[in-house]
Amino acid sequence: MSVGDLVVLTPSGKHKFGDGRGPRVACRFLDSRAVFAFVTDPDLKLGELYMEGRLAMEAGSIFDLLCLLLQGSRNRRQPLLARIIDRARSAWGRTIQTNYQARSRSNVAHHYDLDERLYALFLDKDMQYSCAYFESEDVDLDSAQLAKKRHIAAKLALEPNHRVLDIGCGWGGLALYLSNAAGAASILGITLSEKQLRFAEDRRGKAGGNRSATFGLADFRQVCGTFDRIVSVGMFEHVGSKFYDRFFAKCHELLADDGIMLLHTIGCSAGSGFVMPWLNKYIFPGAYVPSLSEIVPVIERHGLVISDIEVLQRHYALTLRHWRERFLNRWSEAAILYDERFCRMWEFYLSAGEAAFRYEDVNVFQIQLTKKPAVTPLTRSYIGARESALLETERRQATAGT
């Protein structure tokens, strides 16, 4: 790296990197094996060493270190050994990526069936676990997540008679919003997480037994029927590239001829996708981050038409900043739920995510799909108009609730 002020302490001595400008970041490798592990396989070992306490921060945070490393390596060629390991791992990952229904449920349980009190420590009050929509950088997380739901509802152009399918509904917040604020006639939210399902059903009951929203434990491949609108937020990353054909074929089958679908997914804007090996091992097993060049041909192959694409890269960097800061502020509570190693793992996860969205080619795509042209309005002005109308509905409902 040529910019910044990084000091690396190892058993063999002190090593300085950068031009000395900016806040100092200093880390210490506690043993020689840790140094060797990092040098040979940084994509996996950096996170593991931090989790295990064999890499300690002496100045700055792990987030500061990751930012320096990613800024310094951007557009630079990795060492030969690292490139060989990455290519072999990528090829092997594609070979063993078998996200059939049982494996998909197991992968989801690994992450989403953690204690919901953990997520409540850092998410907004509606438990939105996906990229928020920041109408300005200084708005709070709750406002940005509400704006995300409003933005999605506007793009769906919902009408009171519409039937909606929410693939990967999480803890139910978006489905309930589409029902309560946007006025969908019926909405089915599906998830593979048993804990998320129980939470969503409990919320539905507390909301006065909302009859238009229902939730089910189901894989997208199990759904039958026809829906006027389909939405999927933060779920496509778990489908796996081998199953894209099945996913879009199923969406084409389920979507009404004059229907609209909105796919909100993390993606890569620099060729074929890649998931950090550490993230795949400890946080999101079976996950894959696709490029648009991987998604678009499959969409077209199954008779769907792309009517709009929006890129929200900076929005997710801001979202992750809020999550990271909120988690760090409630570290002690997370440690009671789990332990210090888990907390270091979670800090690394949130820090790596934010750094990647700030300095790498990781992105968020909102892709609007139809079965035929001319289903959506002539210009995009309808999105802003519908957002304004939804905002007024939210205000009326809030006033009535008080």
Side-chain angles (χ1 to χ4, degrees):
M1 56 175 284
S2 58
V3 178
D5 185 2
L6 174 63
V7 176
V8 179
L9 304 169
T10 71
S12 65
K14 179 188 290 188
H15 312 274
K16 294 185 177 182
F17 302 90
D19 58 7
R21 291 184 295 177
R24 170 162 293 192
V25 177
C27 63
R28 180 184 295 276
F29 289 93
L30 273 64
D31 59 85
S32 298
R33 286 187 174 184
V35 178
F36 180 77
F38 171 74
V39 171
T40 55
D41 192 4
D43 287 336
L44 176 63
K45 295 301 181 180
L46 180 62
E48 288 188 339
L49 294 170
Y50 186 70
M51 288 166 55
E52 296 163 2
R54 296 169 64 196
L55 171 71
M57 298 304 303
E58 304 223 339
S61 65
I62 191 64
F63 171 70
D64 298 322
L65 175 62
L66 287 164
C67 286
L68 277 182
L69 293 176
L70 292 185
Q71 284 179 285
S73 64
R74 186 174 177 84
N75 298 323
R76 289 194 176 186
R77 193 175 178 84
Q78 285 189 309
L80 177 61
L81 180 58
R83 296 201 307 272
I84 292 172
I85 291 173
D86 280 350
R87 287 172 184 170
R89 181 179 282 134
S90 180
W92 177 244
R94 286 174 178 268
T95 301
I96 65 172
Q97 192 180 59
T98 55
N99 291 350
Y100 295 103
Q101 293 186 32
R103 175 63 65 86
S104 292
R105 184 169 293 187
S106 173
N107 289 341
V108 165
H110 176 89
H111 188 81
Y112 296 97
D113 278 348
L114 295 172
D115 195 318
E116 59 265 19
R117 290 176 295 175
L118 168 70
Y119 293 102
L121 296 178
F122 67 92
L123 297 182
D124 65 301
K125 62 185 179 183
D126 195 48
M127 298 284 278
Q128 290 293 304
Y129 195 27
S130 58
C131 177
Y133 187 72
F134 287 83
E135 294 172 321
S136 65
E137 292 197 12
D138 58 351
V139 302
D140 61 79
L141 182 61
D142 285 286
S143 298
Q145 289 291 14
L146 180 56
K148 184 263 299 291
K149 291 178 287 186
R150 189 185 310 128
H151 194 55
I152 289 172
K155 286 186 175 184
L156 288 171
L158 276 174
E159 298 297 337
N161 63 325
H162 282 160
R163 299 152 295 171
V164 183
L165 172 64
D166 182 358
I167 303 175
C169 65
W171 290 281
L174 177 61
L176 291 172
Y177 179 89
L178 295 178
S179 171
N180 296 333
S186 67
I187 178 161
L188 170 62
I190 62 169
T191 177
L192 291 177
S193 167
E194 293 183 1
K195 286 194 174 183
Q196 285 187 335
L197 175 63
R198 289 196 296 269
F199 191 93
E201 288 181 327
D202 185 56
R203 291 182 66 182
R204 174 177 170 269
K206 290 179 179 178
N210 185 307
R211 294 184 178 180
S212 64
T214 58
F215 299 98
L217 190 70
D219 187 280
F220 72 89
R221 289 161 278 212
Q222 298 173 303
V223 180
C224 297
T226 302
F227 298 88
D228 303 291
R229 299 292 186 264
I230 298 176
V231 62
S232 183
V233 178
M235 173 272 179
F236 189 70
E237 301 91 318
H238 304 286
V239 170
S241 57
K242 286 184 178 181
F243 298 88
Y244 289 172
D245 277 291
R246 189 169 299 183
F247 179 81
F248 287 113
K250 188 65 177 181
C251 290
H252 183 275
E253 173 193 324
L254 296 171
L255 187 64
D257 288 342
D258 59 350
I260 297 174
M261 175 178 175
L262 188 75
L263 179 68
H264 172 122
T265 180
I266 296 174
C268 180
S269 57
S272 59
F274 178 77
V275 176
M276 180 194 294
W278 180 88
L279 199 70
N280 209 306
K281 181 176 180 179
Y282 291 98
I283 307 296
F284 293 119
Y288 181 75
V289 176
S291 65
L292 276 178
S293 59
E294 292 174 290
I295 302 173
V296 171
V298 191
I299 291 172
E300 295 173 343
R301 193 155 58 236
H302 293 284
L304 293 167
V305 177
I306 296 176
S307 50
D308 188 76
I309 297 179
E310 184 174 9
V311 177
L312 300 174
Q313 183 179 38
R314 292 175 60 194
H315 294 261
Y316 216 163
L318 290 168
T319 304
L320 283 155
R321 184 196 72 190
H322 281 277
W323 289 350
R324 179 177 59 85
E325 291 175 350
R326 289 158 73 107
F327 179 81
L328 292 176
N329 287 336
R330 304 185 72 176
W331 180 291
S332 60
E333 295 171 75
I336 292 173
L337 291 174
Y338 290 96
D339 56 28
E340 291 292 328
R341 181 180 182 275
F342 180 93
C343 289
R344 288 193 296 271
M345 177 179 74
W346 217 252
E347 180 192 6
F348 188 86
Y349 152 52
L350 296 173
S351 298
E354 182 182 352
F357 276 96
R358 289 190 182 279
Y359 302 113
E360 291 200 310
D361 299 308
V362 189
N363 238 311
V364 171
F365 304 125
Q366 278 193 354
I367 308 173
Q368 186 190 63
L369 304 168
T370 63
K371 277 189 171 181
K372 56 186 179 182
V375 170
T376 56
L378 186 62
T379 72
R380 299 182 84 250
S381 60
Y382 76 95
I383 299 174
R386 285 179 174 269
E387 285 178 328
S388 297
L390 286 165
L391 183 59
E392 287 301 314
T393 300
E394 292 166 19
R395 289 170 176 164
R396 288 197 305 270
Q397 291 178 342
T399 301
T402 57

